[in-house]
Amino acid sequence: MNPNAVREYLLHLQSSIVSRMESIDGGTFIHDEWQRAEGGGGISRVIENSKVLERGGILFSHVVGSKLPPSAAASRPEIAGRPWEAMGVSLVLHPRNPYVPTVHMNVRFFIARADANKASGEDVFWFGGGMDLTPYYGFDEDCVHFHRTNKDALDKLSPAYFPRYKKWCDEYFWLKHRNEPRGIGGVFFDDFHDGGFDHAFALQRAVGDAFNHAYAPIVERRMNTAYGERERDWQLYRRGRYVEFNLVWDRGTHFGLQSGGRTESILASMPPHATWRYNWAPEAGTPEAELLAKYVNGRDWL
């Protein structure tokens, strides 16, 4: 197990994604370093009110703690409360143009250290991550491209991974209180340690390295599409769903807050503007209704 190699990779990944997004947007991400009282810290790279990105956060963190929070030990309750170490890159990009989808990506590495009170205890590690796309207007070409890029990346390790983690993504990014998905999905995995450290680390790199290829072409294809007040209003309404998921259901948000993480960085995933309406639905036959009926439904795009 080599945590330093993971850290070096994650820092490089953050820089490569920032560079690619800056080349598209023309603006500059601020560089904000922070320290955590209990141990560790991070680097937040954030852009706001720019040409293409209304808000974007590409965040690196490497933190340690004395007691693993319940949100990080949901599938292994026996390790809750152990000393722990976590590092990762998490990003959310909220474009200004409603025809450009919002995107989320996260790759992370956890170590639950051996319990000093148990002679038989040993360090436990796992990787997690994935990416998912949340469009406001549907385009088959974009959906197929996003899923195809993820499949090609995972197929290099195992043809079983994409269908398994595509399904997991559809199930995870689900708003239970509304009985609807957040977007068109992608891939998601957690508690992954199959094949030992090297193989599990390779899966993390496969996802991280695929991000620019999966998302940047979609942004470049849609960012100059003309739009008006109607499209903007729909975008803000759908962003409300994004906020609901992140605050109510997302384990990453819960872990960050439960572990005493930096709130300003954790909530950088929130859109700068969002709206809610009471008991409203788009009119049948509109592009907005088509998004819900045809695109946001967990379908197999490949």
Side-chain angles (χ1 to χ4, degrees), residues 34-42 61-72 84 86 251-267:
W34 54 273
Q35 298 295 318
R36 180 171 170 273
E38 190 177 359
S61 63
H62 181 186
V63 296
V64 298
S66 58
K67 292 185 177 181
L68 189 67
S71 58
W84 57 273
R251 282 176 56 194
T253 301
H254 295 171
F255 170 78
L257 297 175
Q258 290 174 4
S259 63
R262 184 173 185 251
T263 302
E264 199 69 17
S265 296
I266 296 165
L267 298 183

Side-chain angles (χ1 to χ4, degrees), residues 71-87:
S71 58
S75 61
R76 296 186 188 183
E78 72 277 6
I79 66 173
R82 283 195 187 188
W84 57 273
E85 180 177 355
M87 62 185 80

Side-chain angles (χ1 to χ4, degrees), residues 1-14 59-63 85-89 106-111 113 125-128 189 192 196-205 208-209:
M1 184 167 60
N2 187 354
N4 287 334
V6 180
R7 178 185 169 89
E8 291 175 5
Y9 168 73
L10 293 171
L11 286 167
H12 172 74
L13 177 65
Q14 182 190 38
L59 316 172
F60 166 80
S61 63
H62 181 186
V63 296
E85 180 177 355
M87 62 185 80
V89 166
N106 175 279
V107 286
R108 56 194 177 274
F109 175 60
F110 278 91
I111 306 173
R113 297 297 184 184
F125 79 88
W126 70 95
F127 289 87
F189 66 96
F192 186 86
F197 175 84
D198 289 343
H199 182 76
F201 185 21
L203 178 60
Q204 182 191 74
R205 295 197 308 271
D209 293 346

Side-chain angles (χ1 to χ4, degrees), residues 237-290:
Y237 175 76
R238 290 296 298 169
R239 279 180 176 177
R241 298 292 205 267
Y242 206 91
V243 171
E244 291 177 24
F245 181 87
N246 276 20
L247 294 182
V248 177
W249 299 110
D250 186 65
R251 282 176 56 194
T253 301
H254 295 171
F255 170 78
L257 297 175
Q258 290 174 4
S259 63
R262 184 173 185 251
T263 302
E264 199 69 17
S265 296
I266 296 165
L267 298 183
S269 63
M270 296 297 115
H273 304 284
T275 61
W276 283 262
R277 298 181 189 175
Y278 179 74
N279 199 28
W280 180 84
E283 184 179 348
T286 62
E288 293 80 14
E290 182 186 46

Side-chain angles (χ1 to χ4, degrees), residues 42-53:
I43 303 171
S44 298
R45 304 295 305 275
V46 178
I47 192 169
E48 291 186 310
N49 198 31
S50 199
K51 178 182 177 182
V52 176
L53 296 173

Side-chain angles (χ1 to χ4, degrees), residues 171-172 174-180 245 249:
E171 293 171 350
Y172 180 79
W174 182 269
L175 285 79
K176 300 178 182 67
H177 61 293
R178 293 190 181 273
N179 196 33
E180 66 183 42
F245 181 87
W249 299 110

Side-chain angles (χ1 to χ4, degrees), residues 82-296:
R82 283 195 187 188
W84 57 273
E85 180 177 355
M87 62 185 80
V89 166
S90 180
L91 69 83
V92 177
L93 302 175
H94 292 289
R96 181 181 302 278
N97 191 314
Y99 287 101
V100 184
T102 286
V103 71
H104 158 262
M105 193 270 290
N106 175 279
V107 286
R108 56 194 177 274
F109 175 60
F110 278 91
I111 306 173
R113 297 297 184 184
D115 190 335
N117 297 319
K118 296 181 179 179
S120 60
E122 59 182 21
D123 290 351
V124 175
F125 79 88
W126 70 95
F127 289 87
M131 69 178 87
D132 68 292
L133 197 69
T134 306
Y136 305 98
Y137 289 91
F139 297 93
D140 289 16
E141 180 183 10
D142 296 350
C143 299
V144 171
H145 168 80
F146 190 79
H147 283 270
R148 173 63 64 187
T149 303
N150 276 276
K151 183 179 187 302
D152 289 347
L154 269 58
D155 279 356
K156 295 175 183 177
L157 295 172
S158 170
Y161 286 165
F162 177 76
R164 181 186 307 166
Y165 299 138
K166 191 270 187 194
K167 182 176 184 292
W168 198 345
C169 186
D170 290 337
E171 293 171 350
Y172 180 79
F173 292 103
W174 182 269
L175 285 79
K176 300 178 182 67
H177 61 293
R178 293 190 181 273
N179 196 33
E180 66 183 42
R182 183 167 85 172
I184 67 153
V187 293
F188 177 86
F189 66 96
D190 201 7
D191 197 17
F192 186 86
H193 49 90
D194 297 7
F197 175 84
D198 289 343
H199 182 76
F201 185 21
L203 178 60
Q204 182 191 74
R205 295 197 308 271
V207 173
D209 293 346
F211 176 79
N212 281 336
H213 304 291
Y215 185 61
I218 297 173
V219 180
E220 292 172 322
R221 190 181 297 138
R222 308 295 171 196
M223 67 185 193
N224 294 317
T225 304
Y227 68 91
E229 184 176 345
R230 171 180 174 157
E231 291 87 351
R232 176 65 170 171
D233 187 58
W234 173 244
Q235 179 193 46
L236 297 184
Y237 175 76
R238 290 296 298 169
R239 279 180 176 177
R241 298 292 205 267
Y242 206 91
V243 171
E244 291 177 24
F245 181 87
N246 276 20
L247 294 182
V248 177
W249 299 110
D250 186 65
R251 282 176 56 194
T253 301
H254 295 171
F255 170 78
L257 297 175
Q258 290 174 4
S259 63
R262 184 173 185 251
T263 302
E264 199 69 17
S265 296
I266 296 165
L267 298 183
S269 63
M270 296 297 115
H273 304 284
T275 61
W276 283 262
R277 298 181 189 175
Y278 179 74
N279 199 28
W280 180 84
E283 184 179 348
T286 62
E288 293 80 14
E290 182 186 46
L291 176 82
L292 304 182
K294 180 180 177 182
Y295 292 90
V296 184

